[in-house]
Amino acid sequence: QVQLVESGGGLVQPGGPLTLSCVSSTNIFNFNAMGWYRQAPGKQRELVAKINVGGRTDYGDSVKGRFTISRDTATNTVYLQMNSLKPEDTAVYYCHAHILRNDYWGQGTQVTVSS
């Protein structure tokens, strides 16, 4: 059983930074890939960022140049550094891990960008 626990969400003003963390209950080298997805009310869940075991990263078009995904294997943690936040970034952000055919999800953390 794999557990993913997100933290760091909250209210932030437009243009500000915010960092999300996702701690895995198991060694993150067990995963083929980890990433962040987000879902706003009434909208489809979309890819924000992902990183594979080799360290290759990929980003959704709407966040390229503003968000950065990284990992710390010592603490089994994946981070999402968000900069220049916009109101349209408001969503529930979910940590995701993929192992072979299996997908694991965190409980989600709310990010609200508003003045």
Side-chain angles (χ1 to χ4, degrees):
Q1 187 177 24
V2 175
Q3 292 183 343
L4 304 173
V5 181
E6 302 109 326
S7 62
L11 176 64
V12 62
Q13 294 186 6
L18 195 67
T19 298
L20 306 181
S21 300
C22 173
V23 179
S24 172
S25 63
T26 190
N27 193 315
I28 62 175
F29 283 119
N30 292 335
F31 301 123
N32 299 119
M34 296 191 70
W36 292 90
Y37 290 73
R38 68 185 183 187
Q39 188 167 25
K43 296 184 179 180
Q44 185 178 355
R45 186 174 297 187
E46 64 175 349
L47 171 71
V48 177
K50 61 182 179 181
I51 184 168
N52 71 8
V53 294
R56 181 178 178 179
T57 59
D58 194 19
Y59 296 90
D61 289 340
S62 64
V63 306
K64 288 180 179 177
R66 298 190 297 122
F67 292 9
T68 303
I69 188 170
S70 62
R71 64 188 178 189
D72 184 349
T73 57
T75 58
N76 291 321
T77 304
V78 174
Y79 300 96
L80 182 68
Q81 174 65 52
M82 303 182 291
N83 298 310
S84 302
L85 282 163
K86 306 173 182 179
E88 51 263 44
D89 294 318
T90 296
V92 177
Y93 285 70
Y94 296 91
C95 184
H96 171 259
H98 178 72
I99 310 175
L100 298 177
R101 298 179 182 179
N102 299 314
D103 293 288
Y104 302 92
W105 295 91
Q107 80 287 348
T109 185
Q110 176 71 47
V111 174
T112 302
V113 185
S114 179
S115 298

